[in-house]
């Protein structure tokens, strides 16, 4: 199915080719883990699974991932969420300031944006 949809999408690039002969096998929504992970998540997974965990064989990957405790995974998730909240608050503050909001309004809006707990 991926191949059929992908060939249909790329057909305009090959106007003289029949759709079923467009030279596209399939397109997936893969993730380049090395650039997608946060530093903290990379450190967590490197500690449990090794630096090259996504390259080569994946035979022990599930077992290695399961070796992490629920509390350690939750700690990483909470830290990532806190970083996101701080980033959003800072960005909102800059946008409000740029649009002429008073310092008081900026503070109220950024505090009320997302609870920290």
């Amino acid at each position: 199915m991926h191949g059929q949809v992908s060939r249909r999408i790329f057909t305009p690039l090959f106007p003289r080719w029949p759709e079923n002969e467009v030279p596209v096998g399939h397109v997936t929504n893969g993730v380049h883990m090395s650039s997608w992970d946060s530093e903290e998540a990379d450190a967590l997974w490197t500690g449990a699974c090794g630096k090259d965990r996504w390259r080569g064989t994946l035979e022990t990957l599930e077992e290695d991932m399961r070796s992490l405790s629920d509390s350690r995974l939750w700690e990483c998730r909470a830290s990532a969420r806190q970083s996101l909240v701080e980033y959003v608050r800072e960005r909102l503050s800059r946008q409000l300031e740029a649009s002429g909001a008073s310092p008081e309004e900026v503070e109220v809006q950024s505090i009320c944006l997302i609870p920290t707990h």
Side-chain angles (χ1 to χ4, degrees):
M1 185 173 200
H2 279 282
Q4 291 172 337
V5 172
S6 297
R7 282 186 289 281
R8 188 174 326 122
I9 290 170
F10 286 93
T11 295
L13 299 176
F14 300 90
R16 295 185 180 145
W17 294 45
E19 184 177 301
N20 65 337
E21 293 182 21
V22 170
V24 175
H26 61 280
V27 176
T28 62
N29 295 327
V31 173
H32 182 255
M33 292 306 295
S34 300
S35 58
W36 185 78
D37 263 356
S38 68
E39 286 183 30
E40 184 174 2
D42 182 58
L44 175 78
W45 296 120
T46 296
C49 309
K51 186 65 179 166
D52 292 328
R53 62 196 168 274
W54 305 116
R55 298 183 182 123
T57 67
L58 304 176
E59 294 169 4
T60 64
L61 188 59
E62 181 179 356
E63 183 180 336
D64 294 341
M65 293 173 108
R66 290 181 182 274
S67 73
L68 288 167
S69 68
D70 291 347
S71 62
R72 181 63 188 103
L73 288 170
W74 192 255
E75 181 183 305
C76 184
R77 181 237 180 237
S79 176
R81 181 178 185 271
Q82 183 63 38
S83 294
L84 175 62
V85 169
E86 290 170 6
Y87 170 80
V88 170
R89 284 185 171 152
E90 178 60 34
R91 177 137 184 180
L92 175 64
S93 294
R94 286 192 313 245
Q95 289 176 334
L96 290 170
E97 289 169 357
S99 68
S102 69
E104 294 79 16
E105 186 179 3
V106 170
E107 183 177 356
V108 168
Q109 290 296 325
S110 67
I111 289 173
C112 295
L113 177 65
I114 303 172
T116 59
H117 53 303

